[in-house]
Amino acid sequence: MPAPPPMDPGPSRAESSEAGLGESSKVATSKMITSDHDSFELIFMMLMGIRTAVGKFASKELPAEMGPAEFNQNWEGDFLASGTPETPAHSHSDYRFKEYSPLIFRQLRERFGISSQDYMLSLTSEYVLVEMFTNSKSGSFFFYSADYRFVLKTCTKREAAFLMSALPPYHQHLMSHRFTLLCRFFGLHRVQQRSGKVVYFVVMGNIFPIDKPAPPAQPALSPPPKGTATALTAVRGEDKKRRLLAQVKKDCELLERLEVIDYSILIGIHRAGADRTRRRVIARPACPRIPAPALGSRRNGEAAGAHEQLLREQAARRPASASEEGALTVDKEVYYVGVIDILCEYGFQKQLEHSYKAACHDL
C-alpha cells in the first residue's frame, strides 16, 4: 500500500518530494478523479454502491456471535439510471453492485472505532477519490478517499475468493488482537458494468495517520487511531520490544496457517524534530480542494465548502489524541508499521512457479 502523497493546492494534480529538494525534483504521484477522468464512471459506481449497501446494514442489530450465516451473507442491487425501490437514480450507465459479508465487515470497522456514518462520510460525501500512481506488479489500481483515511484497491477474482475463504480466521484474529499489524480490510465489493466488465475491490484502512503532526511517545499498546493499520505506541526498553515481537509472531502465525506468501511490511518514518514545513511535506498531506461538482449540479465553491464541512465533522468526532496513537517512537523518529499484500495464497499456481524457478536455478 503506497503512502499518501502531499496534495498540491491546485484542483487536480498532486506532487510529492523529499524535504529539501528543489522544485525541479518533484514528481507527480496522484491525481484527483473528476468527471473528465477515464475512471470517473467506475468510481461513481463504486462509491454509490458502498453508500447504498453500508447504509442498508448500518442500523441492523449485530448478533452476539457471528456464524456461517453472517459470513455467507451477501447483498446485490441493480443500479438503474431510472432508480429502483432499493437504489437511487443516477446519470450513468446501469450496473450491478455486490456487497460481501456486510455485517462482518461492519463489525470489523466498529472494532477499530469507525462508525457507518463516519465511513460513508469519508468515502461518499462528495463522490471524489484520489488516484495513486504506483509501480505495483499486480496491476491493481489504488485510490484514496478524499480525506486519505481509506484506500480502495482493485483485486482479482482469485484474491477476492481467497479473502472470503480466509475471512472467518482473519475476523477472529482482528477481534482478538486489537493491536495487530495486519492490513485492515473494511469491505469487499464487486461492480458489474453493463458491458459485462466485472471489477472486484477492497477498502482498507490507511496505515499512516494524517489528521495531526507527529505524535510524541505514549505508553505501549494504547488504543489505535481509527482506520490505521498499526496499533503499537512505543516506550523504549525491553517491554516495548517484547510486545512488538509477540504481536508480529501472532500475525505471522495466522498468515502461515492461511498459507499466505509474498506479504510485506510497510514502514513509514517521520522525523519528529523536523520543522513544520518539512513535516507537512513528508508526513501530513493537506486534503485537496474539490475541483469540480462530483454530481454535476453544484458550483465549485459549494463543493469546496462541503469538503471543508466534512473535515470539520470528522475532526469533531475523533478523539483528541487519535493521531497521537499508533506510532512506534524511538528518539526523534516515529515509525508507522503495517503488514500488507496478504491476499497471495501459496496455491497450485504458486507451487508451479516455485518449482519452475527452482529448476531454472538448479536449486
Side-chain angles (χ1 to χ4, degrees):
M1 187 190 311
M7 292 301 298
D8 187 275
S12 64
R13 180 64 63 177
E15 296 177 333
S16 69
S17 64
E18 291 293 332
L21 296 181
E23 289 294 323
S24 60
S25 63
K26 292 186 177 181
V27 179
T29 58
S30 64
K31 182 179 182 180
M32 183 76 74
I33 295 179
T34 55
S35 57
D36 59 346
H37 193 283
D38 292 341
S39 300
F40 179 76
E41 184 172 65
L42 174 61
I43 295 303
F44 178 90
M45 293 174 177
M46 294 163 70
L47 296 184
M48 176 171 276
I50 289 175
R51 186 180 186 90
T52 304
V54 171
K56 184 178 181 65
F57 290 90
S59 60
K60 290 187 179 294
E61 185 176 354
L62 294 177
E65 184 174 344
M66 295 294 186
E70 286 72 39
F71 283 100
N72 296 325
Q73 182 183 28
N74 300 318
W75 178 82
E76 290 188 76
D78 289 314
F79 286 76
L80 307 181
S82 57
T84 72
E86 283 194 309
T87 60
H90 57 87
S91 59
H92 296 274
S93 302
D94 299 344
Y95 68 99
R96 188 168 181 82
F97 185 88
K98 186 170 185 178
E99 169 96 352
Y100 293 88
S101 303
L103 294 181
I104 298 295
F105 284 109
R106 176 187 148 195
Q107 187 179 55
L108 287 177
R109 294 192 297 267
E110 292 178 357
R111 175 73 174 104
F112 298 102
I114 304 169
S115 68
S116 295
Q117 180 187 11
D118 207 21
Y119 188 66
M120 290 189 290
L121 187 64
S122 287
L123 287 171
T124 68
S125 64
E126 287 295 325
Y127 289 78
V128 170
L129 291 181
V130 179
E131 181 181 23
M132 182 65 188
F133 305 141
T134 75
N135 59 355
S136 171
K137 294 185 292 185
S138 67
S140 298
F141 294 97
F142 292 83
F143 306 95
Y144 285 106
S145 60
D147 61 359
Y148 290 102
R149 292 183 65 195
F150 302 102
V151 178
L152 287 78
K153 177 188 176 184
T154 61
C155 62
T156 64
K157 183 178 180 179
R158 181 187 181 92
E159 290 172 327
F162 175 69
L163 176 57
M164 289 304 298
S165 67
L167 192 55
Y170 173 83
H171 170 266
Q172 182 182 26
H173 185 82
L174 265 64
M175 296 301 293
S176 301
H177 302 286
R178 185 178 182 183
F179 306 105
T180 179
L181 300 177
L182 296 181
C183 172
R184 295 173 184 173
F185 293 109
F186 293 138
L188 172 63
H189 316 277
R190 187 190 74 187
V191 169
Q192 184 174 356
Q193 297 174 288
R194 188 167 59 180
S195 64
K197 181 181 179 181
V198 176
V199 178
Y200 293 88
F201 68 99
V202 292
V203 181
M204 306 175 286
N206 189 359
I207 287 177
F208 305 114
I210 51 89
D211 55 334
K212 289 184 180 179
Q218 295 284 320
L221 296 180
S222 57
K226 296 181 180 180
T228 57
T230 182
L232 291 176
T233 305
V235 293
R236 282 180 288 175
E238 288 300 316
D239 184 59
K240 174 201 69 177
K241 177 181 178 180
R242 177 183 60 81
R243 289 171 182 254
L244 176 60
L245 293 179
Q247 187 60 61
V248 170
K249 181 179 179 180
K250 292 175 183 176
D251 291 342
C252 289
E253 286 174 349
L254 173 66
L255 298 180
E256 183 178 359
R257 291 198 304 272
L258 295 175
E259 297 185 330
V260 175
I261 61 172
D262 287 348
Y263 53 89
S264 307
I265 289 184
L266 178 63
I267 302 176
I269 304 174
H270 170 66
R271 291 173 176 80
D275 59 40
R276 179 169 294 273
T277 301
R278 181 172 298 180
R279 177 184 301 139
R280 180 184 177 94
V281 171
I282 295 178
R284 187 172 177 253
C287 285
R289 184 176 73 246
I290 292 178
L295 301 180
S297 60
R298 283 169 289 189
R299 297 187 302 273
N300 288 354
E302 292 174 340
H307 185 64
E308 292 172 1
Q309 178 65 21
L310 176 149
L311 298 178
R312 287 195 296 270
E313 291 176 2
Q314 287 180 330
R317 282 198 297 276
R318 288 180 189 149
S321 60
S323 67
E324 297 176 359
E325 302 158 348
L328 188 67
T329 305
V330 179
D331 295 327
K332 293 185 178 182
E333 291 185 339
V334 184
Y335 296 82
Y336 296 95
V337 185
V339 179
I340 62 171
D341 298 332
I342 61 174
L343 295 182
C344 185
E345 180 187 16
Y346 189 65
F348 181 68
Q349 182 177 344
K350 281 293 181 180
Q351 292 175 29
L352 286 179
E353 180 182 324
H354 175 79
S355 299
Y356 174 76
K357 290 182 178 178
C360 289
H361 296 281
D362 194 25
L363 298 179

